[in-house]
Amino acid sequence: MTQGLMKITENKLIAERTYYMMLEGDTSAITAPGQFVNIKLDGFFLRRPISVCDCEDGKLTIIYKVVGNGTEKMSELCPGDELDILCGLGNGYDTSKSGDCPVLIGGGVGVPPMYMLCKKLISEGKNVSVILGFNSEKEIFGVEEFEAIGAKVYVATVDGSVGTKGFVTDVLKDIDYSYFYTCGPMPMFRAIEGIAKTSGQYSFEERMGCGFGACMGCSCKTKYGNKRICKDGPVLEREEIVW
């Protein structure tokens, strides 16, 4: 983990209430897809944990959705502004277990960490499928970016405006895969758990106090006792989770 100031170079709206932000600074602590950063904002006591979308050559990309006062404040920041960031938090995904044809499942703001993971798996020679789930066409982002790096992309929308009408599980049940990786809301996780045909890894979204394991505020029950999502996670393996 590192802490320091990072300079914003881009901050733009890419879908309904969804923003793309690129920053420059020390990204040396980011070593695996699925890690996150914790951002300090002026006027707010707690930092905001945001998944890493991509990280390369000292440039950090995050994608966030405006859901409260903190992320509203982030959306108002401009290129040249600086943010105090705890960088390289969490364990990230383990790609060694993926098999030849893994599937990546992202729901809403759970989509961004799938991008860096997808890049890594494709670099390892894997045949990657990606399922992206949104409520409607207005919320969709990332499809062209995943396709550009060589993934086969499926889209599910709750209202049926694009792709498969329904949920990510309505796509998952009909495709073949060797392993799954996912990030998204808990109801999506429970639905995946009900139909998944292989082992896999879940990246949990939790409210966090400190972001590095000191406060025990984001614990999850596992077969091996309580694990801290920020420190022992956010990625947990399917077989260890107590639902």
Side-chain angles (χ1 to χ4, degrees):
M1 180 183 72
T2 60
Q3 179 179 0
L5 294 177
M6 300 189 75
K7 182 177 291 186
I8 298 171
T9 59
E10 288 187 69
N11 191 26
K12 61 184 180 182
L13 184 70
I14 59 170
E16 186 176 59
R17 294 186 297 148
T18 304
Y19 285 77
Y20 168 103
M21 179 183 285
M22 180 176 283
L23 304 104
E24 291 182 343
D26 181 5
T27 60
S28 60
I30 299 173
T31 58
Q35 290 183 293
F36 66 97
V37 297
N38 223 4
I39 301 174
K40 179 176 176 56
L41 297 168
D42 291 340
F44 295 86
F45 178 68
L46 295 178
R47 291 174 179 264
R48 265 54 186 178
I50 306 288
S51 297
V52 173
C53 176
D54 199 14
C55 176
E56 191 171 13
D57 299 329
K59 295 181 180 180
L60 170 70
T61 302
I62 59 173
I63 293 175
Y64 62 95
K65 191 168 187 176
V66 174
V67 294
N69 293 333
T71 44
E72 179 71 36
K73 174 73 172 179
M74 284 178 60
S75 72
E76 297 168 357
L77 298 173
C78 300
D81 290 341
E82 292 184 326
L83 288 173
D84 181 326
I85 295 181
L86 294 177
C87 198
L89 302 174
N91 58 351
Y93 292 104
D94 180 356
T95 61
S96 68
K97 302 181 179 182
S98 70
D100 293 331
C101 50
V103 61
L104 281 51
I105 312 159
V109 290
V111 168
M114 297 293 103
Y115 182 75
M116 187 172 171
L117 174 62
C118 186
K119 283 176 64 177
K120 188 171 192 300
L121 288 166
I122 287 175
S123 74
E124 294 172 352
K126 307 301 171 62
N127 182 16
V128 182
S129 297
V130 180
I131 305 173
L132 308 179
F134 302 95
N135 288 316
S136 68
E137 183 178 9
K138 293 183 294 184
E139 297 183 2
I140 293 175
F141 63 90
V143 176
E144 293 179 357
E145 287 78 5
F146 280 102
E147 290 177 338
I149 58 175
K152 183 173 184 179
V153 181
Y154 302 88
V155 175
T157 50
V158 175
D159 66 1
S161 51
V162 176
T164 299
K165 178 178 172 60
F167 303 99
V168 293
T169 46
D170 292 306
V171 177
L172 184 65
K173 65 184 177 63
D174 292 328
I175 66 174
D176 294 321
Y177 52 94
S178 57
Y179 195 84
F180 71 86
Y181 298 90
T182 185
C183 184
M186 187 61 73
M188 186 185 88
F189 283 1
R190 294 187 184 278
I192 291 171
E193 185 64 17
I195 69 163
K197 297 176 282 192
T198 70
S199 183
Q201 295 171 32
Y202 293 90
S203 180
F204 285 79
E205 300 173 346
E206 288 286 345
R207 291 183 178 273
M208 297 178 185
C210 66
F212 49 84
C215 72
M216 302 297 293
C218 60
S219 296
C220 175
K221 186 180 292 186
T222 78
K223 294 177 181 177
Y224 312 109
N226 287 337
K227 286 192 173 184
R228 299 160 295 179
I229 293 302
C230 67
K231 181 73 172 179
D232 307 311
V235 179
L236 301 177
E237 294 191 12
R238 181 184 189 186
E239 289 77 12
E240 68 180 305
I241 301 165
V242 176
W243 296 99

